[in-house]
Amino acid sequence: MKLTKTVASALIIATLCCGCTKTAETTGKVSDGGDKEYDEVLPEDEVLIVCGYRNEAWGHQSSMTYVMSDGKVYSSREEFESYPLDPSKGLTDEQRKDLLVKYTDPVAEFDEKDLKKIYHYMLQIDTDAEFVYADEYACDAGTHYTNVNIDGEFIRISEAGDRTGNLKDRFAKKVDKLIDAAFASANIKDKASVYSNSESFITTIRCSDIKTTELRRIITSTEELEAFKKDTGINLLKYDAFDYFGDPEYDKFGYICIAVEIVSYPDYLSVEDVSADAFIVSDSYTGFAYLEDPVIDVSEMEVKENMYVHVVQLPAYQLSDYDLFLNGS
């Protein structure tokens, strides 16, 4: 990492933490109100706070944390030596949140009193205030940011990493500190990981030549890849995304594995209808995930079914992370 100016290493470390880093001056101080009770009515079923981080400098690192209006906190973190092939086909922040809520358990929960206090000061932030960056610039540090939802619009109140900046508003500074304190006091459990085209490569392929009853597998070698080809008729190596798998000099199997799952759906559904949107790894669920489940006619009339294979590239650092998937959980 190179710095255009001298920057304390603590800045970069703070960037990777769940809380929010801030250095820019604000227009004044705001009293914390002591033990005052705040009467604001929290909205229903909304995201109030989003903390995100992304860095593609040395492989892919990312995290997203969502604080819901009921205090529940959902979060994902991804890190491995790969890059997304086409991030434009990946997930939006809203879609990632939807998948986390649908498939995973909250990693923490903010106390209602603390959340109301944060919300009280959020509503007083000047959304037209200037966002001011410090002069220091750190190369390859990624970007960590905190956004808050004010009347349906997400406003960035702080940013750190490649650049460090803050919204020049005293209430924004107060909210940033309160969010940090809430995260610090929360008992945060292990975060999930969400792998989509934003982080890796995922696709669904129609097939018609299934010769196996093994519906799920983790492929870790060229031998296993060849066995998969014989069982399904699918040659993954013909896809650009699988360049260097099995290469004698630069074998991607050294740090990436391939998860596959054979599924069947009625033939009135298209491949777009049944394509998985992500692969989730969590304590409560590990496997392929849909933003919207394929709609299946529940009538008793028999219909022809088509076979498909979900495919995703995943980190191969700890294969036990995928035991729930292999066991069908």
Side-chain angles (χ1 to χ4, degrees):
M1 182 182 296
K2 297 181 180 179
L3 304 183
T4 56
K5 291 191 176 183
T6 301
V7 184
S9 60
L11 168 64
I12 306 305
I13 296 173
T15 301
L16 303 177
C17 298
C18 190
C20 313
T21 303
K22 52 274 178 186
T23 59
E25 294 184 359
T26 60
T27 55
K29 293 183 178 181
V30 180
S31 170
D32 64 9
D35 294 327
K36 177 182 175 181
E37 296 286 342
Y38 295 91
D39 299 327
E40 280 78 9
V41 177
L42 294 169
E44 293 185 6
D45 195 28
E46 286 190 15
V47 179
L48 293 187
I49 303 162
V50 175
C51 290
Y53 174 75
R54 191 174 183 94
N55 189 353
E56 306 288 350
W58 307 101
H60 176 88
Q61 302 92 37
S62 62
S63 67
M64 291 294 295
T65 299
Y66 306 84
V67 181
M68 306 297 293
S69 52
D70 61 1
K72 291 184 173 63
V73 180
Y74 295 89
S75 189
S76 74
R77 177 174 54 207
E78 303 78 29
E79 181 174 354
F80 68 120
E81 297 176 51
S82 186
Y83 300 93
L85 273 73
D86 190 355
S88 66
K89 295 181 179 179
L91 299 172
T92 65
D93 289 353
E94 181 73 13
Q95 289 172 332
R96 185 176 301 273
K97 180 268 296 180
D98 289 344
L99 286 173
L100 288 171
V101 172
K102 181 178 179 180
Y103 287 96
T104 74
D105 296 327
V107 299
E109 188 164 353
F110 279 12
D111 183 83
E112 182 181 19
K113 179 180 177 181
D114 293 339
L115 194 59
K116 282 188 173 182
K117 187 175 184 179
I118 293 171
Y119 189 62
H120 168 80
Y121 289 113
M122 275 173 52
L123 295 179
Q124 300 179 66
I125 292 175
D126 179 6
T127 59
D128 293 324
E130 181 183 6
F131 196 96
V132 179
Y133 286 101
D135 291 336
E136 293 85 359
Y137 184 88
C139 297
D140 299 339
T143 299
H144 180 283
Y145 60 88
T146 297
N147 296 342
V148 296
N149 184 349
I150 302 176
D151 295 330
E153 181 180 0
F154 280 94
I155 304 298
R156 182 157 301 187
I157 61 173
S158 66
E159 184 177 315
D162 288 337
R163 295 188 299 172
T164 298
N166 297 84
L167 192 67
K168 195 173 181 181
D169 175 83
R170 57 182 180 147
F171 294 108
K173 181 179 180 181
K174 176 64 180 176
V175 167
D176 215 14
K177 288 183 176 180
L178 290 173
I179 292 172
D180 279 351
F183 275 121
S185 62
N187 180 25
I188 298 181
K189 303 174 185 177
D190 289 341
K191 298 181 179 182
S193 295
V194 179
Y195 298 101
S196 69
N197 282 314
S198 297
E199 298 78 26
S200 181
F201 171 82
I202 184 171
T203 191
T204 298
I205 304 168
R206 182 176 171 178
C207 57
S208 58
D209 190 21
I210 302 296
K211 299 175 182 177
T212 179
T213 58
E214 186 181 4
L215 300 182
R216 302 177 185 89
R217 65 181 78 179
I218 301 294
I219 300 170
T220 62
S221 67
T222 53
E223 292 78 15
E224 293 174 358
L225 193 60
E226 183 63 26
F228 170 75
K229 178 182 176 181
K230 291 179 179 179
D231 289 340
T232 63
I234 296 174
N235 179 15
L236 291 178
L237 293 180
K238 75 176 185 180
Y239 294 90
D240 291 342
F242 292 88
D243 288 347
Y244 296 105
F245 280 90
D247 186 276
E249 296 183 0
Y250 183 71
D251 189 354
K252 282 191 175 181
F253 276 124
Y255 53 93
I256 298 177
C257 63
I258 304 167
V260 296
E261 181 176 15
I262 299 171
V263 295
S264 61
Y265 285 101
D267 69 350
Y268 53 76
L269 296 176
S270 68
V271 66
E272 289 78 14
D273 294 330
V274 304
S275 291
D277 297 292
F279 187 95
I280 293 177
V281 181
S282 73
D283 291 338
S284 56
Y285 175 81
T286 297
F288 291 94
Y290 295 97
L291 286 165
E292 295 184 11
D293 294 326
V295 179
I296 300 175
D297 186 353
V298 295
S299 68
E300 297 181 359
M301 182 181 300
E302 291 188 10
V303 296
K304 178 183 176 182
E305 290 198 333
N306 294 325
M307 306 297 293
Y308 300 89
V309 178
H310 297 318
V311 182
V312 67
Q313 295 179 12
L314 299 171
Y317 307 139
Q318 188 166 302
L319 296 179
S320 60
D321 288 345
Y322 313 124
D323 286 349
L324 279 178
F325 166 66
L326 293 175
N327 295 330
S329 301

